Amino acid sequence: RSSKPAMFNSEHLAIQKIHQHPLPMIHVDAFLYDDDFVDSLCEEGKMSRNYCTECGSYKTASLEFISHSFSLMELKFLYQHVLPDLTGKVVVDVGSRLGAVLFAGYLYSSASQLYGVEMNADFCQLQEMTITKYKFIDRIKVVHADICTQASLLQKADVVVMNNVFEYFLDRLEQVRAWEFIACNVRKRGLLLITVPSLKESLSKLQTDIQLSQWVEEIQLNYDVYMEKEVDREALEQIHLYKIL
Ligand SMILES: C[S@@+](CC[C@H](N)C(=O)[O-])C[C@H]1O[C@@H](n2cnc3c(N)ncnc32)[C@H](O)[C@@H]1O
């Protein structure tokens, strides 16, 4: 019903959540597989963007695609158009997975330190291998932990990135606990918080005590920076920037 390239068997809850999703959904990591590559797999018949709603009939519907990493285009947008000069700044990626946000931050920004916090041990190991291979060790550090144990790291951050971090990986109660921990510890005035989707959307599905208007101010982004036809504007529009009050 759903395929899950770029997932580990150790992600028990995430895999369980995929199976509970009401409609067929395909998990394709946008950092590893760009749209052109997915198109070529579809052309070769190795993958499909559609599924048959009634076996044997010609009625088809589009499959929902979900990525668990930012794509290269989103990462460039983030570092070249959304964030200011990061010289001397500390970036924390909550749920760093393959390390895409960290590696792009190393190459496209002057951030002094880029921390990734990832609860899955397999993904931490994978990130460590890339850090060693490409000699990123001077500015990137990966912490294998639940973000809810990292209060002091969050308190010293200047930029916090949260890309679809909790919804697919934690049950509802854990999501509430994690968001409340974030709202308690991401408090430095002027800190920039990047989220996908918006905070309003993420929190609307949960019962939390977080008062958004007292915590953050949203900064409107210009999503029209790329004129190329192949740019996925819808994906860019999911990226939101907030300043901590
Ligand atoms: C959608 S991926 C984000 C990937 C990456 N930040 C990017 O943008 O390319 C979310 C990741 O968050 C991790 N995660 C979820 N809840 C977490 C928690 N409480 N503490 C640390 N990591 C968590 C998951 O294991 C998953 O790898």
Side-chain angles (χ1 to χ4, degrees):
R1 219 170 72 142
S2 52
S3 65
K4 38 190 181 315
M7 295 193 75
F8 277 115
N9 288 335
S10 53
E11 298 189 281
H12 306 295
L13 191 62
I15 291 169
Q16 202 179 318
K17 284 197 154 208
I18 292 170
H19 288 291
Q20 285 165 356
H21 196 269
L23 291 173
M25 179 193 262
I26 196 154
H27 292 239
V28 178
D29 196 289
F31 185 58
L32 298 179
Y33 309 104
D34 64 18
D35 268 354
D36 289 345
F37 188 70
V38 171
D39 281 344
S40 64
L41 288 177
C42 290
E43 273 164 30
E44 288 167 33
K46 291 182 179 158
M47 209 174 163
S48 175
R49 289 191 186 273
N50 301 292
Y51 71 98
C52 174
T53 53
E54 264 175 57
C55 195
S57 100
Y58 44 73
K59 280 195 207 161
T60 63
S62 292
L63 268 164
E64 191 179 338
F65 271 54
I66 179 150
S67 167
H68 293 306
S69 295
F70 274 132
S71 67
L72 202 52
M73 188 243 337
E74 291 166 305
L75 291 166
K76 282 189 182 165
F77 177 65
L78 195 67
Y79 285 108
Q80 296 176 342
H81 297 283
V82 174
L83 292 169
D85 177 11
L86 296 182
T87 305
K89 304 290 185 194
V90 174
V91 176
V92 174
D93 183 25
V94 181
S96 52
R97 200 163 186 89
L98 293 170
V101 170
L102 309 176
F103 309 148
Y106 190 100
L107 299 169
Y108 296 138
S109 86
S110 305
S112 60
Q113 281 298 323
L114 297 134
Y115 290 92
V117 180
E118 173 54 62
M119 67 178 185
N120 182 283
D122 293 323
F123 279 110
C124 286
Q125 210 185 341
L126 209 55
Q127 290 175 83
E128 292 295 354
M129 281 161 62
T130 312
I131 291 168
T132 306
K133 180 167 175 188
Y134 294 102
K135 304 192 169 57
F136 289 155
I137 191 78
D138 57 328
R139 288 165 57 215
I140 297 185
K141 186 161 171 28
V142 172
V143 182
H144 175 208
D146 177 346
I147 193 62
C148 297
T149 64
Q150 299 300 307
S152 58
L153 182 58
L154 288 172
Q155 286 159 17
K156 77 172 184 184
D158 300 296
V159 175
V160 172
V161 181
M162 300 183 68
N163 176 19
N164 261 320
V165 55
F166 301 135
E167 187 181 355
Y168 293 94
F169 300 92
L170 304 180
D171 67 31
R172 254 164 205 283
L173 277 179
E174 288 172 330
Q175 287 180 52
V176 169
R177 182 183 71 111
W179 275 113
E180 287 186 341
F181 185 86
I182 294 285
C184 263
N185 290 286
V186 175
R187 290 241 80 112
K188 197 200 265 184
R189 188 186 284 242
L191 177 149
L192 295 176
L193 174 63
I194 306 275
T195 69
V196 172
S198 67
L199 283 172
K200 197 168 161 222
E201 185 177 337
S202 296
L203 297 176
S204 66
K205 301 167 199 159
L206 304 169
Q207 282 204 309
T208 69
D209 293 331
I210 300 169
Q211 300 290 323
L212 277 186
S213 60
Q214 288 166 24
W215 179 34
V216 295
E217 173 200 348
E218 178 153 17
I219 298 171
Q220 291 308 319
L221 296 177
N222 174 13
Y223 300 105
D224 290 321
V225 289
Y226 300 113
M227 290 302 146
E228 300 91 322
K229 263 214 311 275
E230 60 272 18
V231 166
D232 186 349
R233 198 177 191 279
E234 246 178 72
L236 294 187
E237 283 172 356
Q238 290 292 308
I239 300 178
H240 293 261
L241 173 67
Y242 303 88
K243 196 183 237 183
I244 303 301
L245 297 171

